[in-house]
Amino acid sequence: MFMKKWRGEFDFFLLILLASGFVGFLFDRTTFFIASALFFYSVYNIYQLKRLSEWASEKQTIEETSLPEGSGNWGTIFDSIYKLQKKQRSSSNYLKSLINKAQESSAALEMAVVMINEQGNLDWGNLASERLLGFKFPDDQNQAVTNLVRDPRFTAYFYGGNYTETLQISIEGISENVLEFQITFFGKNERLMLVRDVTQLHKLESMRKDFVGNVSHELGTPITVIKGYLESIIDNIDSVDAKWHNPILQMEQQSNRMEAIVKDLLLLSTLETRAIPGDELSADVPTLFREIEETTTKVMKDYKHRFTTSAPNQLKLRGSYNELYSVILNLVMNAAKYSGVNNTIQLSARIEDDAVFIEVADDGLGIGREHLSRLTERFYRVDKSRSSETGGTGLGLAIVKHILARHDGELNIQSRVGKGSRFSCELPLYRVLNST
Ligand code: ADP
């Protein structure tokens, strides 16, 4: 279509030349007529160009003004520009309405949404960012975010670049509330930061911790009294009617279980509220292994387990001896409890490129794959009846996970039903104090 128009224009141009040449020929002034025709043709085109250039330079944007009218090929050009103008107008209106909608909906959010550019400077923030973080727009725009949120913990989180976990802090100078920061990368190394107020959740969480701590503490005394009386009765069991012997023994068994549960709950609650052990503490791994082997052999002597231990000589870890003792003891007692009689329990420690591993493996019952992800939940048991037979509280692995997290480590579990289990505690290399 466009090509056709240009052909038409070319034909028209030839026609002018021919017509002016012919008329010129008639008057014997061919050159003069052709030159005049070319002159008028050029003047016409220059005039149209002038209109187009005036139109283009007059206004700032293509949407602001209507195009000049034109005929022939110029009409086609103006028409095409007009169509483009219309298309752009509608897509720019669409974008404007989209931006308005995004701004309106983000303004309604309780959560602060902040866009941070490649240089770590503030680009944009919604209304909640002004309320929660005290940002002022446009004054704070292009300021370094770490200057606006002044806290060393935030700076470390921001530049640390590991955003898999959120950061929960209250920032002096901004507000007393506890804020949760979550950052993700987008575009070209830009960051999107979401901030929400979690003060209420924090209060509930600390109420829960206090409640569990208080209940476990309060239950301690009555259980000790009941156990004390039961022990005295059992010491004089001959003076008690024979029909009560069995119930009394069961009462003693259950009160022992109750004591173990309360003790574990109290330990968990202390772990949750007590400060993380400082770097000055240390735990000697070969000593830990030896003591735990002795204790387990004594407590579970009927099971006749064999132990194999291997650890680098004098391997010492930065951390609480008592807490790490509790981790390995829990794992070894489980290995002993859930692997029947006459089995081998392997205790090993090894250092790899970027971590130290402490592992407890058994060739016992094993655990079905579907249970593995839930084992460290409080009171989760694979087999309730078996667990209560063995005197388990269902809190052992929750304690293990908690202590490892306090030492910047994690628990990995591999197991297959009938083939045994391997519980591997992975701690970062900076936890190693020395080894030979
Ligand atoms: P419990 O006090 O019941 O042993 P834990 O939290 O220590 O509680 O363990 C949770 C569950 O995981 C146990 O009830 C048991 O079913 C399973 N389990 C733990 N260790 C082993 C193991 N070495 N072999 C088989 N099952 C295990």
Side-chain angles (χ1 to χ4, degrees):
M1 169 76 182
F2 205 68
M3 279 309 289
K4 237 179 176 176
K5 281 266 176 194
W6 279 105
R7 277 290 300 275
E9 181 69 22
F10 187 66
D11 292 347
F12 176 65
F13 180 66
L14 279 181
L15 192 71
I16 289 175
L17 284 182
L18 282 174
S20 56
F22 179 69
V23 175
F25 177 73
L26 289 182
F27 290 94
D28 202 17
R29 304 282 296 270
T30 317
T31 319
F32 173 75
F33 270 80
I34 290 178
S36 305
L38 281 177
F39 173 75
F40 284 114
Y41 184 74
S42 304
V43 167
Y44 171 75
N45 280 328
I46 289 169
Y47 168 70
Q48 295 294 12
L49 266 175
K50 181 176 162 274
R51 289 173 73 206
L52 186 63
S53 112
E54 270 172 2
W55 167 82
S57 61
E58 226 169 47
K59 304 280 173 179
Q60 293 296 318
T61 64
I62 201 164
E63 295 108 5
E64 282 179 38
T65 182
S66 52
L67 275 153
E69 298 277 328
S71 61
N73 234 28
W74 283 103
T76 316
I77 292 173
F78 292 150
D79 206 39
S80 310
I81 295 177
Y82 174 71
K83 277 184 190 146
L84 262 176
Q85 186 188 29
K86 224 171 125 187
K87 217 164 136 189
Q88 182 168 347
R89 197 177 294 154
S90 87
S91 71
S92 111
N93 281 345
Y94 173 69
L95 277 177
K96 263 188 210 154
S97 85
L98 211 64
I99 289 172
N100 282 346
K101 263 189 214 162
Q103 280 188 333
E104 273 167 28
S105 57
S106 73
L109 279 178
E110 287 285 307
M111 181 188 279
V113 183
V114 181
M115 282 183 192
I116 301 161
N117 68 17
E118 247 180 299
Q119 287 79 38
N121 297 344
L122 179 63
D123 239 355
W124 174 86
N126 67 346
L127 208 62
S129 73
E130 301 183 20
R131 191 165 30 82
L132 288 179
L133 300 163
F135 290 172
K136 287 184 190 71
F137 291 97
D139 297 7
D140 289 342
Q141 221 150 10
N142 234 8
Q143 300 274 343
V145 173
T146 44
N147 280 347
L148 298 169
V149 182
R150 276 185 183 273
D151 188 290
R153 291 164 297 176
F154 176 76
T155 309
Y157 177 67
F158 188 80
Y159 288 115
N162 177 14
Y163 302 137
T164 43
E165 306 232 327
T166 59
L167 171 75
Q168 296 191 0
I169 45 170
S170 62
I171 298 168
E172 218 179 294
I174 289 187
S175 90
E176 285 175 359
N177 292 358
V178 184
L179 301 178
E180 183 184 61
F181 293 83
Q182 185 169 23
I183 299 181
T184 40
F185 281 110
F186 76 99
K188 286 188 198 152
N189 240 358
E190 288 148 288
R191 293 172 174 94
L192 180 73
M193 181 166 84
L194 305 176
V195 186
R196 61 187 190 121
D197 189 337
V198 289
T199 316
Q200 215 47 32
L201 277 176
H202 248 249
K203 274 192 190 144
L204 283 174
E205 180 66 3
S206 62
M207 269 167 67
R208 180 194 66 78
K209 284 179 193 164
D210 288 350
F211 177 75
V212 175
N214 290 340
V215 167
S216 336
H217 186 74
E218 292 300 323
L219 281 175
T221 319
I223 292 171
T224 315
V225 173
I226 292 170
K227 270 192 65 174
Y229 279 122
L230 279 169
E231 271 163 26
S232 311
I233 295 171
I234 288 167
D235 285 346
N236 301 293
I237 197 88
D238 294 340
S239 59
V240 179
D241 191 334
K243 72 176 181 207
W244 291 110
H245 286 186
N246 206 21
I248 287 170
L249 288 175
Q250 272 191 29
M251 279 160 79
E252 199 229 0
Q253 209 182 10
Q254 290 307 317
S255 65
N256 282 340
R257 257 197 86 203
M258 201 158 31
E259 189 185 36
I261 293 175
V262 166
K263 245 187 182 163
D264 276 357
L265 272 178
L266 203 56
L267 174 59
L268 260 176
S269 129
T270 336
L271 287 173
E272 279 178 337
T273 43
R274 201 200 292 152
I276 289 173
D279 284 350
E280 69 288 352
L281 296 171
S282 73
D284 180 79
V285 177
T287 314
L288 271 173
F289 280 2
R290 206 174 35 254
E291 287 190 2
I292 286 166
E293 183 184 336
E294 276 169 24
T295 311
T296 321
T297 317
K298 221 181 276 168
V299 177
M300 313 274 300
K301 58 179 181 300
D302 296 341
Y303 284 75
K304 297 195 172 58
H305 293 300
R306 284 179 301 281
F307 280 87
T308 66
T309 54
S310 76
N313 271 344
Q314 293 166 7
L315 170 60
K316 264 202 176 117
L317 297 179
R318 237 182 265 275
S320 154
Y321 184 90
N322 289 343
E323 291 187 16
L324 292 171
Y325 180 92
S326 183
V327 166
I328 307 172
L329 183 69
N330 264 304
L331 296 178
V332 171
M333 287 298 271
N334 276 352
K337 282 189 299 189
Y338 302 111
S339 58
V341 284
N342 256 328
N343 271 309
T344 307
I345 297 169
Q346 295 167 38
L347 263 169
S348 62
R350 63 173 202 285
I351 298 174
E352 284 192 1
D353 293 346
D354 54 357
V356 50
F357 293 87
I358 296 180
E359 295 188 342
V360 178
D362 63 70
D363 45 9
L365 301 170
I367 306 157
R369 208 177 358 176
E370 66 279 16
H371 299 290
L372 292 183
S373 61
R374 301 197 56 193
L375 282 186
T376 53
E377 284 175 21
R378 291 173 191 204
F379 297 113
Y380 187 84
R381 293 164 176 122
V382 173
D383 179 341
K384 281 207 166 41
S385 60
R386 192 200 306 147
S387 194
S388 50
E389 270 168 34
T390 52
T393 62
L395 294 167
L397 292 181
I399 292 173
V400 168
K401 184 181 165 187
H402 220 93
I403 295 178
L404 287 177
R406 281 160 68 80
H407 288 78
D408 317 311
E410 58 182 51
L411 178 70
N412 301 306
I413 309 169
Q414 290 168 306
S415 188
R416 274 174 63 198
V417 177
K419 298 274 182 218
S421 316
R422 178 175 295 270
F423 289 77
S424 174
C425 311
E426 181 180 344
L427 293 160
L429 217 49
Y430 60 78
R431 285 274 160 201
V432 176
L433 257 177
N434 67 317
S435 66
T436 50

